[in-house]
Amino acid sequence: MKKRFEIKFGVVVLLILVFCTACNGNVTRDIRHAGFNVGGNFICDDFYPKNKEDTSYKRIRYFLGNNLITQEGNIYELSLSQPFTGGQNCRKADTDIAVKAIFDNEIIKATDGKYYYLQGKNNVPWYSEIPATDNSYMVYDILLRDDDIVKVTTADSSIGLFFVLKMDGNVYAYRIMAADRYSPPQLVSVQIAYDKTAYGGSIVDFNYSGASLATFIRTDDKLFRMRIINSDKCSKYADVGCQFEMQEDSMYEKYKERIIAYNGVNLVTDYKQMFTVAS
């Protein structure tokens, strides 16, 4: 009797595995049809539930090139091309800094109100505090000082234009200028760049890279991303430029519970499959 029970239990487990595999295959197919290429696996156990009842796993807020930021503001380091020695593509950063706001995926404002380099540069260590002597410190301070700032992206550095996501769910266009090379930079104008009412709810993340596939706007329920609308011609003729248009991606609304990270370039599912945007 015990042997018969073990056989039946094994069959049930096998059927569940087959069903889950088929289900994941459908998700993969639909994501590919939405304009993504299948990449490798993203192994980072902290961000996957151990089972259906597990709610203790961490959630990703920002998935960056070399780092990811959790919903709590904790920093992880990433290595997508090869794993760390623990066999994972991520590891907890050796810092107690908790991120409150982020600028260009390189500068962060921490919960202590100070500004830090997210990445090392010019012999400056990773996660070190930005000194007031930094040439860009005053710009960082203008963009990040307010408590309602969530994320900042440079839109056009030649004219001092920055896009700023605030807690109210709108993205604002900030213009920062200096009267001359000897004067300090000042905020000269603020206006809404992306109004949340046009996207069906508060904006929770965005990226601006001009007319490129990496530009997107995301709410809790919807994803709008830049798409090429004349790919049949611009991919065929050298003298035809690609035309871009921001469009809603219905795939995201269908599978938002299966997608754990998206940054305009990479997409990661809850079955550890990574994709890269293709069209």
Side-chain angles (χ1 to χ4, degrees):
M1 178 65 105
K2 181 179 180 181
K3 185 175 182 180
R4 183 180 300 174
F5 172 78
E6 290 176 347
I7 292 174
K8 288 183 177 180
F9 180 75
V11 171
V12 171
V13 171
L14 179 60
L15 289 173
I16 291 173
L17 291 174
V18 170
F19 174 78
C20 290
T21 301
C23 178
N24 293 342
N26 291 337
V27 178
T28 295
R29 180 200 62 206
D30 289 351
I31 292 176
R32 289 182 63 242
H33 288 173
F36 292 82
N37 290 328
V38 177
N41 289 332
F42 178 67
I43 309 301
C44 195
D45 292 345
D46 285 357
F47 297 92
Y48 298 108
K50 297 179 176 62
N51 51 56
K52 290 184 178 180
E53 287 72 37
D54 181 20
T55 59
S56 63
Y57 65 98
K58 300 181 184 300
R59 274 74 167 180
I60 297 172
R61 184 177 186 184
Y62 299 125
F63 193 80
L64 313 177
N66 296 308
N67 298 91
L68 65 79
I69 311 297
T70 71
Q71 290 288 358
E72 296 76 25
N74 302 129
I75 303 172
Y76 278 70
E77 295 171 356
L78 293 179
S79 177
L80 300 180
S81 59
Q82 58 186 140
F84 293 107
T85 52
Q88 305 277 301
N89 294 116
C90 74
R91 66 182 180 186
K92 180 75 167 61
D94 186 18
T95 177
D96 294 327
I97 296 171
V99 177
K100 184 173 184 179
I102 187 167
F103 173 34
D104 276 355
N105 299 348
E106 296 179 356
I107 304 299
I108 56 175
K109 178 183 180 180
T111 53
D112 62 7
K114 299 177 181 179
Y115 309 131
Y116 296 87
Y117 300 108
L118 184 57
Q119 302 175 16
K121 60 178 182 178
N122 299 328
N123 298 319
V124 176
W126 287 42
Y127 319 125
S128 56
E129 184 178 350
I130 301 175
T133 54
D134 186 295
N135 291 335
S136 300
Y137 184 89
M138 296 185 71
V139 174
Y140 301 153
D141 189 52
I142 292 172
L143 293 169
L144 297 171
R145 69 165 68 119
D146 293 339
D147 287 338
D148 62 345
I149 303 299
V150 177
K151 185 178 184 180
V152 180
T153 296
T154 301
D156 189 340
S157 59
S158 66
I159 60 173
L161 178 62
F162 303 87
F163 285 169
V164 179
L165 174 61
K166 293 188 176 184
M167 289 181 180
D168 66 3
N170 291 315
V171 175
Y172 294 82
Y174 277 37
R175 285 289 305 277
I176 296 178
M177 298 178 66
D180 54 59
R181 59 184 299 185
Y182 303 106
S183 302
Q186 294 184 350
L187 180 62
V188 296
S189 68
V190 177
Q191 60 184 25
I192 292 181
Y194 297 113
D195 191 326
K196 63 184 179 183
T197 59
Y199 298 96
S202 292
I203 298 169
V204 297
D205 194 14
F206 82 103
N207 184 60
Y208 180 79
S209 296
S212 79
L213 297 175
T215 295
F216 76 91
I217 293 172
R218 184 171 65 84
T219 70
D220 282 330
D221 299 315
K222 298 178 182 293
L223 172 67
F224 299 82
R225 62 188 185 92
M226 205 70 84
R227 306 295 298 272
I228 301 174
I229 59 175
N230 66 333
S231 59
D232 55 335
K233 292 184 178 180
C234 76
S235 61
K236 184 177 181 180
Y237 300 109
D239 58 342
V240 176
C242 292
Q243 298 174 2
F244 293 83
E245 182 179 279
M246 188 78 85
Q247 298 178 350
E248 182 179 352
D249 192 333
S250 59
M251 174 277 298
Y252 181 83
E253 189 169 3
K254 182 177 180 180
Y255 292 119
K256 62 181 182 291
E257 301 300 329
R258 307 295 308 273
I259 297 171
I260 69 167
Y262 176 72
N263 63 7
V265 176
N266 298 306
L267 181 150
V268 182
T269 65
D270 60 358
Y271 54 98
K272 306 181 181 181
Q273 182 66 60
M274 190 161 64
F275 299 80
T276 55
V277 66
S279 63

